Amino acid sequence: MEQNKSVPTGLEPITRSLLRMVLWFKPMYQQWGVDSHQLALMLHYKLLMDQRRPTGFQQMSRNKASKPTNFGYAWLLIGLVTGVMLIFALMVGADPVTRISFFFSGLVFLLSAMLISDFTSVLIDVRDNSILLPRPVNDRTLLLAKLLHILVHISKLLLPMLIAPLIYIGSEWGWRAVFALLPVVPIAICFSILLVNSVYLLVLRVTSAEKFKNFIAWFQIIFAVAVYGAYQFLPRFTDEEEMKSFVIGNRGYAPYLPPYWFARSWDFFRGENWLSNAPWLFLSLVSCALSLFIVIRFLAPAFARKIAGLSGSSAAAGIAASHRLTARDNRPRTKFSPAIWISKWVCRNPIEQHSFLFTWRFTGRSREFKMKVYPGFGYMLVIFFMQFYRNFKQLSTDGPGFILYGSIYLSGFILISAIEQVGHSEQYKAAWIFWRAPPAKPGDILIGSTKAVLIKFSLLLALLLLMVSTWLLGPAALPNALLAIGNQWLVTLLLQRRAQQQLPASLPPISEGKGSAMLKTFFVMMLLGVFVVIHYLLYNIPWAIGLLTLLVWIAVWLLLSSIRNTPWREVDG
Amino acid sequence: MEPVIQLEGLCKSYGEHRVLNDINLTVYPGEVIGYIGPNGAGKSTTVKILCGLIPDFEGRVTVKGLDLRKDTLAVKKIIGYVPELAELYESLTANEFLDLIAGLYEIPADIADQRITSMLAAFDLAAVANDRIDTYSKGMRQKALLISGLLNNPDILILDEPLSGLDANSVIIVKELISRLAAEGKTIFYSSHMMDVVEKVSHRIILLNGGKLIADGSFAELQGQIGKESLETIFASLTANTGLHDAAAALAGALNQSPTNGTE
């Protein structure tokens, strides 16, 4: 079909070229039972929507645009910077094949991380249920459109990422090595996409739609922590000399590693050892084609059916809910809940208590909140072990010292991110309930919510660390640990107090890298850093620590009181 | 006359819960079917099965002689569907969104252009056709959704609460449109909770309760059988398990209760 004249804007030149490239293989797709016309159309519009999806940098200047607006080139800068990181992978190993194997490992890892964080929403876009599924589009076309959409978008992000590594490769092994890499990179991209999607589709095949959403959330959290842990630990656990003399080809496990196949394929294209490298190129190509075939042929049919069940308003979900309702009718309505128990102890009045309970439940059930805040627990654990590992020698001679208090400060990052996120939600419009019948002052709502966050994301962890400190260092550790907790709370409350107050879950989600949010976080980190330095300088002077602890807790109390007295005009919404 | 839709022994279960229980229904061209029932009766499930969105049902469904299970895509081509509370691709303009839908039905570009332009103008959206949908009001979105359901000139039009969010003038347009399409021989499956509208636009009313078909006939026939005046009272007498007045009294009474002595 010729293009409709009413389409006012087109794709960026790079996206358009990439789209053309993936559509070169139309005859192959048609053989698999895909409708190539529908495929091209869906891809065109999905990519156009991506182009209009604002990234963090652009949201700073974004007003609600009535005309189509494109948000184009921030990915270029982000990609260039990320590419520099890949150069480090190229420095590991004794021979070119080993070094390129590490490069491809890094690339596959990076791509998988990008896919998991960005493209889960593409694969399971619930809007497709009411827009695409009722149309005459077959399952294979739908799934391939999603996979190629991901492929084009990822390739676009990857192009600037390759610039720095290609320059490095060119300077090490000449222009031929650079050109040899170009045909292998698409294979690595396909491999990463199919790897992540195969896992998703396999899980989707065996689980219910609702469980799948939870699976993805936890998968993303664990993956983020694993990436961070690997980044922190691997270079420290391996011997530098050993890394420089490492030759992957000598290891028995090398043939089982796809990055090694890609490296040998690269070696083939740059004209080295053609005969011995050819089977590896063949293996790379066949594995990609085969996995694409398996995904389209065997996993696609279940895919469409399962995503139809992912909508919140699906019949199955509604019926399950009405079933649960009937089943609960006969159960006693009250059972012990720690949140209710704590709220009775710490809240002064019913409004405060209900705000406390709402925040407690929201932070435990909202998937988006968990995705943003919960990885912090994992990061903290990694940093905690890193600290002990680094300072092991010092620990065995001098005892744990300031490291334990440092851990309390570290847990402050979780608290800060929780207090920043608690005001934001995809369903922020539901916050009308707070404005519908507002109490005279919003202070009770704010204080209830703040208390819930302080207790859930700081106090419980801090108490644990307090006990560890007292156990390891004796009662003398108590004022120091209390000071660390007080400082953590003081900084968090200052962060909350210095701007407009936010009712829980009442504002749209914060975009990553948004200017004001970044500045605010930077300011808070700086402040916390200053507090840590002061504490470090004084931690062996008991009277100074005692005095500081007292002052800090008075400041915390004053800040909590001022939040309680916030007027409505200071509330953001 | 050849039936346009035939449901034979249609059953559907979610786990152990049976949502549709042995539904048998024959619909002829030009009929406007008012498909009603209380929440959870199985209306949306029937509609989704007819649209080919739920393939794992029991029984047999044929649409214009095509077996839905075997010829899902062919059936989807002749059906227009306006779902309830549907989402739209909000970063696209109405023109772009409708062009995508037209493309998926493989409507030639010149015909699609002409249809999109005329329908947007008829619904008073021509001036905002190149604005992003995320700037539209609820009613404007509903109009865009209605156009997307009509664009392929379907033989069967399935409407699930199509008047939601529309202003009074647009409601008149849609009601008139339903009559005209029916006069042209198209079949309309109209699912709604607005009994007064269903009463007026439908040739035949089908009432579903607990997954079973409990009434089928024109409004006059149902009035004759059940002896009530309005569709609302017919609906209540056939579907309400407990007295509706008692339920209202219980709700009002709940406001006066205190935890200690039962009433304040």
Side-chain angles (χ1 to χ4, degrees):
Chain A
M1 195 179 94
E2 54 178 283
Q3 188 56 253
N4 196 318
K5 290 177 200 70
S6 61
V7 176
T9 50
L11 297 169
E12 289 165 357
I14 297 172
T15 315
R16 204 183 312 133
S17 314
L18 288 167
L19 178 59
R20 280 205 192 112
M21 277 164 72
V22 297
L23 292 176
W24 280 344
F25 303 98
K26 266 184 185 176
M28 185 171 83
Y29 306 148
Q30 277 165 344
Q31 286 226 319
W32 291 343
V34 168
D35 183 317
S36 57
H37 160 72
Q38 290 178 330
L39 179 77
L41 191 75
M42 283 192 278
L43 275 172
H44 174 90
Y45 278 112
K46 288 274 185 178
L47 290 166
L48 194 63
M49 284 190 266
D50 279 348
Q51 219 166 274
R52 292 178 187 168
R53 189 175 59 181
T55 58
F57 293 115
Q58 294 134 349
Q59 276 194 354
M60 283 192 282
S61 58
R62 187 195 170 194
N63 294 315
K64 193 122 183 167
S66 66
K67 300 290 171 195
T69 320
N70 288 328
F71 295 98
Y73 293 95
W75 53 272
L76 203 69
L77 184 70
I78 299 166
L80 282 168
V81 175
T82 318
V84 176
M85 280 162 49
L86 280 173
I87 292 181
F88 293 108
L90 279 165
M91 294 173 175
V92 181
D95 65 324
V97 168
T98 305
R99 291 164 74 176
I100 293 291
S101 295
F102 274 103
F103 165 75
F104 276 117
S105 305
L107 193 70
V108 168
F109 203 70
L110 209 63
L111 283 169
S112 304
M114 278 158 63
L115 285 166
I116 289 168
S117 64
D118 284 352
F119 282 92
T120 306
S121 54
V122 171
L123 194 68
I124 52 165
D125 186 347
V126 288
R127 292 174 306 175
D128 296 346
N129 290 352
S130 55
I131 300 171
L132 298 180
L133 294 189
R135 319 293 166 195
V137 183
N138 69 35
D139 299 343
R140 288 172 195 170
T141 309
L142 194 69
L143 183 58
L144 190 65
K146 281 171 187 276
L147 292 179
L148 293 181
H149 172 198
I150 295 169
L151 177 66
V152 171
H153 200 98
I154 282 285
S155 305
K156 193 177 105 176
L157 294 178
L158 200 69
L159 287 175
M161 231 179 263
L162 287 174
I163 292 174
L166 284 178
I167 293 171
Y168 183 85
I169 289 169
S171 67
E172 281 283 295
W173 300 297
W175 61 270
R176 217 167 156 170
V178 173
F179 284 103
L181 201 72
L182 298 180
V184 192
V185 167
I187 302 177
I189 301 175
C190 282
F191 175 81
S192 309
I193 291 174
L194 294 171
L195 181 77
V196 172
N197 286 305
S198 304
V199 175
Y200 277 16
L201 293 172
L202 267 175
V203 175
L204 203 53
R205 228 181 137 87
V206 296
T207 186
S208 72
E210 213 33 54
K211 279 185 186 154
F212 179 66
K213 279 195 210 166
N214 286 329
F215 165 81
I216 289 175
W218 284 109
F219 187 61
Q220 287 176 321
I221 290 170
I222 293 167
F223 192 85
V225 174
V227 171
Y228 186 73
Y231 173 74
Q232 286 285 345
F233 278 102
L234 283 179
R236 290 174 175 85
F237 277 119
T238 42
D239 185 71
E240 205 174 314
E241 282 308 308
E242 196 184 316
M243 289 302 275
K244 278 189 177 157
S245 57
F246 181 75
V247 177
I248 194 167
N250 295 341
R251 307 289 163 139
Y253 52 77
Y256 303 105
L257 301 174
Y260 176 69
W261 312 346
F262 306 150
R264 294 291 297 263
S265 306
W266 166 77
D267 216 24
F268 173 88
F269 283 116
R270 70 180 186 132
E272 302 281 328
N273 310 315
W274 277 15
L275 265 181
S276 65
N277 281 330
W280 299 105
L281 173 63
F282 181 73
L283 187 62
S284 305
L285 287 170
V286 166
S287 65
C288 263
L290 196 70
S291 27
L292 185 61
F293 177 76
I294 291 170
V295 165
I296 297 293
R297 196 87 187 181
F298 299 107
L299 300 176
F303 170 75
R305 199 170 58 244
K306 291 283 176 141
I307 62 161
L310 274 174
S311 160
S313 59
S314 74
I319 284 149
S322 67
H323 251 248
R324 286 197 297 273
L325 208 64
T326 326
R328 274 180 193 167
D329 283 347
N330 300 325
R331 274 194 260 155
R333 283 202 59 199
T334 48
K335 60 172 189 173
F336 176 75
S337 143
I340 294 175
W341 186 77
I342 298 171
S343 72
K344 281 181 184 159
W345 280 92
V346 300
C347 297
R348 280 194 199 169
N349 59 51
I351 296 178
E352 192 181 317
Q353 193 190 359
H354 282 89
S355 171
F356 180 97
L357 289 173
F358 169 76
T359 304
W360 190 282
R361 288 165 185 154
F362 168 73
T363 53
R365 294 177 195 174
S366 159
R367 228 171 252 125
E368 38 177 330
F369 180 88
K370 286 197 273 188
M371 302 279 299
K372 297 234 166 80
V373 176
Y374 284 28
F377 286 103
Y379 299 153
M380 209 209 114
L381 219 63
V382 171
I383 297 173
F384 189 74
F385 282 112
M386 279 296 304
Q387 289 295 329
F388 272 88
Y389 173 74
R390 268 191 202 152
N391 301 293
F392 188 73
K393 277 184 189 163
Q394 188 208 334
L395 279 177
S396 52
T397 52
D398 305 340
F402 195 76
I403 295 171
L404 274 169
Y405 314 132
S407 310
I408 297 179
Y409 282 109
L410 270 177
S411 71
F413 293 109
I414 301 171
L415 178 65
I416 290 166
S417 104
I419 210 98
E420 269 186 335
Q421 293 295 337
V422 77
H424 300 267
S425 165
E426 291 280 354
Q427 281 106 37
Y428 66 97
K429 287 180 183 164
W432 65 269
I433 52 164
F434 298 121
W435 301 86
R436 166 67 188 81
K441 275 189 293 186
D444 288 331
I445 302 174
L446 293 167
I447 203 79
S449 175
T450 307
K451 281 179 181 173
V453 175
L454 286 175
I455 291 172
K456 195 170 183 180
F457 295 96
S458 165
L459 191 66
L460 300 178
L461 193 63
L463 281 178
L464 182 77
L465 291 168
L466 186 85
M467 282 192 287
V468 174
S469 313
T470 319
W471 175 59
L472 286 174
L473 301 168
L478 207 63
N480 271 305
L482 280 174
L483 177 62
I485 299 170
N487 277 339
Q488 194 195 87
W489 285 27
L490 184 64
V491 169
T492 310
L493 292 174
L494 278 172
L495 162 77
Q496 211 195 353
R497 201 63 202 91
R498 62 174 279 279
Q500 286 284 94
Q501 298 277 324
Q502 294 168 356
L503 296 170
S506 65
L507 296 168
I510 314 175
S511 59
E512 298 291 333
K514 190 178 172 182
S516 58
M518 270 167 78
L519 268 178
K520 206 153 82 172
T521 312
F522 180 71
F523 166 78
V524 170
M525 297 302 171
M526 286 289 291
L527 195 65
L528 193 62
V530 171
F531 282 14
V532 174
V533 171
I534 296 172
H535 189 168
Y536 181 73
L537 293 173
L538 299 174
Y539 87 102
N540 274 329
I541 311 168
W543 67 265
I545 292 298
L547 184 68
L548 267 181
T549 308
L550 186 69
L551 289 174
V552 164
W553 280 101
I554 290 172
V556 166
W557 182 78
L558 286 173
L559 276 169
L560 282 171
S561 308
S562 82
I563 290 175
R564 188 184 292 285
N565 293 321
T566 308
W568 275 108
R569 67 170 184 282
E570 284 181 20
V571 173
D572 212 353
Chain B
M1 199 191 291
E2 280 288 303
V4 69
I5 299 173
Q6 255 189 316
L7 311 181
E8 294 167 74
L10 179 64
C11 298
K12 168 70 192 161
S13 302
Y14 288 110
E16 288 175 9
H17 185 70
R18 183 150 274 210
V19 188
L20 290 178
N21 197 355
D22 196 24
I23 304 286
N24 292 287
L25 184 66
T26 305
V27 180
Y28 293 95
E31 279 191 316
V32 179
I33 304 289
Y35 201 58
I36 57 174
N39 295 329
K43 299 186 301 296
S44 293
T45 306
T46 321
V47 162
K48 282 182 180 164
I49 289 174
L50 268 177
C51 293
L53 298 177
I54 302 176
D56 53 341
F57 56 85
E58 296 163 52
R60 188 175 146 84
V61 178
T62 46
V63 178
K64 288 195 95 176
L66 297 163
D67 186 330
L68 178 64
R69 228 186 234 112
K70 288 183 194 147
D71 298 304
T72 315
L73 289 189
V75 171
K76 282 182 178 180
K77 275 186 185 166
I78 52 173
I79 285 184
Y81 176 42
V82 179
E84 186 190 7
L85 300 173
E87 296 209 52
L88 296 160
Y89 294 136
E90 299 202 335
S91 57
L92 295 183
T93 67
N95 257 334
E96 290 166 343
F97 177 71
L98 294 170
D99 177 68
L100 167 67
I101 301 297
L104 294 178
Y105 284 108
E106 306 198 34
I107 304 169
D110 50 346
I111 298 176
D113 260 356
Q114 178 262 318
R115 276 187 198 164
I116 292 169
T117 311
S118 320
M119 288 170 129
L120 285 170
F123 267 133
D124 216 10
L125 290 180
V128 291
N130 288 327
D131 285 2
R132 281 165 57 149
I133 295 174
D134 57 11
T135 62
Y136 282 17
S137 70
K138 192 181 171 199
M140 289 156 87
R141 285 165 202 238
Q142 187 65 19
K143 288 174 188 175
L145 201 63
L146 274 163
I147 297 173
S148 75
L150 290 164
L151 209 52
N152 60 323
N153 191 17
D155 291 326
I156 300 156
L157 183 61
I158 298 177
L159 304 170
D160 200 349
E161 293 292 0
L163 305 182
S164 167
L166 293 186
D167 59 49
N169 292 337
S170 307
V171 167
I172 294 171
I173 295 175
V174 174
K175 284 202 248 177
E176 174 73 20
L177 176 71
I178 290 172
S179 306
R180 282 174 185 255
L181 293 175
E184 285 174 19
K186 296 188 188 299
T187 306
I188 287 120
F189 222 79
Y190 189 97
S191 176
S192 174
H193 291 294
M194 294 162 77
M195 293 297 129
D196 52 337
V197 182
V198 175
E199 186 183 308
K200 286 196 182 88
V201 299
S202 311
H203 300 148
R204 184 175 158 198
I205 291 162
I206 288 162
L207 179 52
L208 209 63
N209 192 22
K212 288 183 183 158
L213 207 152
I214 57 167
D216 180 358
S218 67
F219 176 54
E221 284 167 350
L222 294 181
Q223 266 182 320
Q225 285 165 19
I226 295 149
K228 301 276 181 184
E229 278 182 7
S230 68
L231 185 57
E232 192 175 83
T233 48
I234 293 172
F235 183 92
S237 68
L238 291 175
T239 60
N241 297 326
T242 52
L244 301 179
H245 295 294
D246 294 344
L251 282 170
L255 300 173
N256 300 321
Q257 279 176 0
S258 71
T260 45
N261 58 9
T263 50
E264 267 178 11

